[in-house]
Amino acid sequence: MNEKPNKKSALTENEGIPSRSIGTESFSTTSLEKIVKSRKVQPSAAELISGILAHDTVALSRAITLVESTNVSHLAKANEIINGCLPYANKSIRIGITGVPGVGKSTFIESFGKYLTSLGKKVAVLAIDPSSTISHGSILGDKTRMEELVKDGNAYIRPSASGETLGGVARKTRETIILCEAAGFNTIIIETVGVGQSETAVHSMVDFFLLLKISGAGDELQGIKRGIMEMADAVVINKADGDNINKAKLAKTEFNRALHLFPAKKSGWIPTSATCSAITKDGIDSVWETISNYFELVKANHYFEEKRKEQNQYWMMETINEQLKKNFYHHEDIIKLLETNKKAVANDEISPFAAAQILLKKYFR
C-alpha cells in the first residue's frame, strides 16, 4: 500500500524554537540576576511572621517549608516563627477527613471547600501524601486534583509528604495548623493518607473527625468493628449519584445501626451518617450543617476547650518522645554501636531485647 506524499506521521517532531543568545529581547541577564539574588536572600523569622500576620500566602508557604525541613539549622528559626504566630492561632475549627483510597477524598474536599468559601470562610487544606518506603518520594498531587479550589482566593492548599515516621509528619502538621490560623484561615481541613495509623494522629489534632465511605464495598460490615468508626463524629457515604443512590441510602441505614453500638462520646455528641455526591454537590450543605450542629453543642457544654487543652498536653508529650528518638539515633556512640548490635542480632549471637538494653544503657550514660 503506497503512502500519500508529504503526509507527516503523528510522531513527527516539530522544529523547535531557535535558541537566542544572551542579550536579546527574550533573555535579560539583569532579570536573571534579580531572580538568583532573590532566591539566595532568605527572609528573617520576623519578616516571615509579619508576612503571615498580613495574610501573605508566600510567607506562609516559606514558613511551612522551614517547619517541614529536616535540616537542623532550620529548627531554631522554625520555632521562632511558631512562637511568634502562637498568640494569633487557635481561632479556627479543625476538621479531619479520612477514608480508604478511591473513596473520593480530594473531590469531596474540593466541593466542600468551595461551599465553605461561598459562605465567606477562609479554608486551608493540609493534605498528607504517603511517602514511598522504597524511593522515599511522594506525588504531592492534591493541588492538581483540586484545580477549582486551588484558584479560590479564600483557599490555601498545602500537600506534605508523610515521610518515614508518623510522629514526624503529625508534629509538622500540628505546627502548620498554627501558622495557617495566624494567617487568617478560620477553617482547617486535614486530609489523611488513608485508613491506618495516621488517622489516630490526625484525630488527636482536630475538633471534628469525618469518615468518608462508599457503598457496595463491604464497608457496611466493617462499620461494626471498632477503631476508625469509633473515632468518627460523622460518616458520609460519598458517590451517592446515578445508579448508586439507592445503594448509598442502604449503606447509610447500615452505618446508623453500627454507630449506635458504640459507647457514648465524652462530647455528648451522637455520631450520624449521611449521603452526598462530591460530583453533583448534593448533600454537601447537609454535611456542613451536621458539623455546625456539632460545634454548637461542644462549645455550649465546654467540651471544645477541654479537648483542645488535652490535645496540647498530648502533643507536648509526643514532641518529647519524637525528640528523644531523634537524639538517640543521631548520637555518635550509638551510630557506631548500633551496626555492631544489628549484625549480632541477625547472626543470633544476642537477643534483640538484650541488644536494645545495651544500646539504651550506653545512651543514658
Side-chain angles (χ1 to χ4, degrees), residues 45 48-49 51-57 59-68 77-90 92 94 124 126 156 158 171-185 188:
L48 288 174
I49 293 168
I52 290 169
L53 298 182
H55 302 174
D56 179 2
T57 53
L60 174 61
S61 295
R62 296 188 81 161
I64 293 173
T65 299
L66 282 171
V67 166
E68 293 178 342
K77 190 174 180 180
N79 286 336
E80 185 180 346
I81 294 168
I82 292 162
N83 289 333
C85 290
L86 198 55
Y88 306 93
N90 296 304
S92 76
R94 305 164 184 172
L126 308 179
Y156 174 77
R158 176 72 184 204
R171 178 185 59 79
K172 292 170 186 174
T173 304
R174 182 75 171 78
E175 292 170 343
T176 299
I177 289 172
I178 293 170
L179 300 183
C180 288
E181 289 175 338
F185 292 98
I188 313 294

Side-chain angles (χ1 to χ4, degrees), residues 176-307:
T176 299
I177 289 172
I178 293 170
L179 300 183
C180 288
E181 289 175 338
F185 292 98
N186 53 31
T187 308
I188 313 294
I189 297 173
I190 304 174
E191 177 191 1
T192 71
V193 174
V195 176
Q197 287 184 323
S198 64
E199 276 53 48
T200 305
V202 171
H203 181 260
S204 66
M205 68 177 82
V206 298
D207 307 308
F208 187 92
F209 199 60
L210 179 66
L211 174 61
L212 284 181
K213 291 279 191 177
I214 49 175
S215 62
D219 284 345
E220 294 85 347
L221 291 175
Q222 296 297 322
I224 299 171
K225 296 182 180 178
R226 293 182 180 271
I228 188 71
M229 282 288 295
E230 200 167 23
M231 289 190 290
D233 294 303
V235 176
V236 174
I237 296 89
N238 191 23
K239 302 186 179 181
D241 45 47
D243 297 335
N244 212 33
I245 292 177
N246 290 332
K247 290 180 182 178
K249 287 180 179 178
L250 180 61
K252 174 188 171 182
T253 304
E254 294 295 329
F255 280 119
N256 265 333
R257 289 173 184 166
L259 288 168
H260 282 89
L261 296 174
F262 300 126
K265 289 179 175 284
K266 280 177 65 179
S267 61
W269 172 256
I270 300 173
T272 61
S273 65
T275 61
C276 84
S277 169
I279 300 294
T280 65
K281 313 294 189 295
D282 289 333
I284 296 293
D285 55 343
S286 297
V287 173
W288 175 242
E289 186 180 352
T290 298
I291 294 172
S292 299
N293 291 339
Y294 171 84
F295 281 109
E296 188 178 335
L297 172 69
V298 296
K299 286 185 177 182
N301 65 17
H302 305 294
Y303 176 75
F304 181 85
E305 294 86 355
E306 182 188 336
K307 187 177 181 181

Side-chain angles (χ1 to χ4, degrees), residues 288-341:
W288 175 242
E289 186 180 352
T290 298
I291 294 172
S292 299
N293 291 339
Y294 171 84
F295 281 109
E296 188 178 335
L297 172 69
V298 296
K299 286 185 177 182
N301 65 17
H302 305 294
Y303 176 75
F304 181 85
E305 294 86 355
E306 182 188 336
K307 187 177 181 181
R308 285 280 180 100
K309 288 175 183 178
E310 287 177 358
Q311 287 179 344
N312 288 338
Q313 291 175 346
Y314 173 81
W315 282 106
M316 179 189 76
M317 300 305 296
E318 282 297 299
T319 303
I320 292 171
N321 293 339
E322 189 68 25
Q323 192 60 51
L324 285 172
K325 184 179 176 182
K326 189 180 291 184
N327 291 348
F328 176 83
Y329 285 110
H330 285 83
H331 194 283
E332 286 185 13
D333 293 338
I334 296 300
I335 292 171
K336 296 173 185 175
L337 195 59
L338 185 61
E339 288 305 313
T340 305
N341 278 271

Side-chain angles (χ1 to χ4, degrees), residues 95 107-123 125 148-149 152 154-155 187 189 277-278 280-292:
I95 303 168
T107 309
F108 173 83
I109 290 172
E110 177 168 55
S111 296
F112 186 56
K114 288 293 290 180
Y115 178 75
L116 293 180
T117 58
S118 73
L119 298 178
K121 306 286 184 184
K122 289 201 70 179
V123 180
V125 178
E148 290 300 320
L149 189 61
D152 194 313
N154 286 321
T187 308
I189 297 173
S277 169
T280 65
K281 313 294 189 295
D282 289 333
I284 296 293
D285 55 343
S286 297
V287 173
W288 175 242
E289 186 180 352
T290 298
I291 294 172
S292 299

